[in-house]
Amino acid sequence: DETTDRLFIADSGHNRLLVTSLNGDVKEIIGQGGPGLVDGDYRTTQFFNPQGLVLDSETLYVADKDNHAIRQVDLVNKRVETIAGTGNVAMTRSEQTDARATSLRSPWDLEVVDGVLFIAMAGMHQLWSFDLHSTLLSPYAGNGRESLSNGLLMQSELAQPSGLVSNGEGTLFFVDSETSSIRSASTDPTGNVETLVGSGLFDFGDRDGVGDTVLLQHPQGLCFADGFVYVADSYNNKIKRLDPASREVISILGDGQEGSTDGAWEVVQFFEPSDVSVAGDRMYIADTNNHAIRIADLKSGVVSTLVLNGL
């Protein structure tokens, strides 16, 4: 959040969240570190492999993946509460129901649009929606079958959606990891799911281009900034940029090799980056297998590694 100089990090393997300045000064540690599903204050609360985060004013929502739950962090009163999920993994499909009474399956990322929390429910191959005013939770897109098929929201087929972002104009972009694709869904419940790049469950690679010629390999996260979708193309160890209007994809960071090299865009190396977020002219990259946060200057293309101060 550039306005308040805050960076929110899901430190997944430590089962906690960090709040730092954009320059890495640690402000808060949320979670005691052990895996569990415990609500409470920052010191006593527990998470289990938290993944995607979304900030809505002074509320932070957390996709608490291995708890199969959605958590809400009150950043003013410094309290954490479970708002969706039972802690048990869902074994059957669900219809609209009360969020706290519904079992979920591997929620991976989140987005808030007009009072609705959208959830990339990777384990169910669906997007879900949660009305934050009524506590009603229901499937939103995807019929639950793992595949790549477009069409009306609930008639479409998804495959492990794991990254989710809004363009602020009625469209959700999401990563469909198992089909190595980038897709879109309308925030209008009568709308459709469409595929921008990607072909199917067994079509993957590392090829820039336009539309159907593009190949990615198990992308996991994405963000939207300045009209572009930036993608963490995880298994290709690259960051790529998608123009949703033309469907053109270009590699902008990473030489494709596993590594942790900082420097200019053409020599920088990542190791399975899993998410990206932009603040001003800087992109923050969750470089998961390097256990690091990397910062890319979008003007110069130079990448550095964030140093956390006070952890």
Side-chain angles (χ1 to χ4, degrees):
D1 184 41
E2 186 180 16
T3 304
T4 59
D5 186 34
R6 290 181 297 183
L7 176 67
F8 299 89
I9 303 170
D11 189 9
S12 306
H14 282 140
N15 304 298
R16 67 184 179 184
L17 312 177
L18 303 179
V19 185
T20 78
S21 72
L22 296 182
N23 291 323
D25 296 324
V26 176
K27 299 181 178 185
E28 302 283 1
I29 299 173
I30 307 173
Q32 54 102 311
L37 182 57
V38 176
D39 292 342
D41 61 30
Y42 284 4
R43 283 180 168 271
T44 59
T45 194
Q46 290 180 290
F47 302 94
F48 192 3
N49 194 13
Q51 296 289 326
L53 311 172
V54 65
L55 180 67
D56 185 21
S57 186
E58 289 302 308
T59 300
L60 183 72
Y61 296 99
V62 184
D64 197 4
K65 176 180 161 292
D66 284 356
N67 274 324
H68 309 287
I70 307 299
R71 316 290 292 280
Q72 174 181 280
V73 182
D74 182 335
L75 296 169
V76 175
N77 296 306
K78 300 185 178 184
R79 303 282 300 181
V80 177
E81 178 185 1
T82 302
I83 59 171
T86 63
N88 298 313
V89 59
M91 302 306 294
T92 60
R93 297 180 188 176
S94 179
E95 300 299 328
Q96 187 179 71
T97 185
D98 182 73
R100 283 296 282 117
T102 305
S103 293
L104 311 181
R105 190 180 184 95
S106 299
W108 211 292
D109 203 6
L110 307 167
E111 179 65 295
V112 174
V113 179
D114 297 331
V116 176
L117 182 68
F118 290 95
I119 306 166
M121 200 74 73
M124 289 180 166
H125 310 301
Q126 292 178 314
L127 303 182
W128 283 39
S129 63
F130 178 16
D131 186 333
L132 295 171
H133 303 297
S134 70
T135 74
L136 289 177
L137 178 72
S138 61
Y140 183 79
N143 61 17
R145 181 174 179 267
E146 184 182 21
S147 187
L148 190 153
S149 177
N150 299 322
L152 293 174
L153 291 170
M154 287 304 299
Q155 294 177 15
S156 65
E157 295 171 341
L158 318 182
Q160 196 180 311
S162 57
L164 184 63
V165 71
S166 168
N167 69 351
E169 298 178 351
T171 299
L172 295 168
F173 296 108
F174 64 97
V175 166
D176 230 11
S177 291
E178 289 299 295
T179 55
S180 296
S181 64
I182 309 299
R183 308 179 70 182
S184 67
S186 174
T187 57
D188 180 346
T190 64
N192 292 336
V193 167
E194 299 178 0
T195 300
L196 297 173
V197 296
S199 304
L201 282 169
F202 306 105
D203 300 305
F204 56 85
D206 184 5
R207 187 167 65 208
D208 293 352
V210 177
D212 295 342
T213 68
V214 174
L215 291 176
L216 309 174
Q217 188 168 3
H218 202 82
Q220 292 191 64
L222 77 178
C223 70
F224 183 82
D226 300 323
F228 294 105
V229 178
Y230 293 93
V231 181
D233 193 6
S234 302
Y235 287 7
N236 283 324
N237 304 300
K238 289 183 176 182
I239 307 301
K240 299 187 177 183
R241 189 183 73 189
L242 164 66
D243 181 341
S246 68
R247 299 171 64 204
E248 180 183 26
V249 171
I250 61 172
S251 299
I252 62 168
L253 296 169
D255 69 0
Q257 301 301 307
E258 296 174 355
S260 58
T261 304
D262 285 338
W265 67 269
E266 65 266 35
V267 300
V268 69
Q269 293 179 324
F270 305 101
F271 192 1
E272 292 189 15
S274 65
D275 211 353
V276 288
S277 187
V278 171
D281 293 327
R282 291 187 288 183
M283 174 187 292
Y284 292 82
I285 301 161
D287 196 6
T288 293
N289 281 5
N290 277 322
H291 311 285
I293 304 298
R294 315 286 292 281
I295 305 175
D297 185 313
L298 292 176
K299 288 186 175 179
S300 68
V302 174
V303 173
S304 59
T305 299
L306 181 69
V307 176
L308 295 173
N309 303 307
L311 183 61

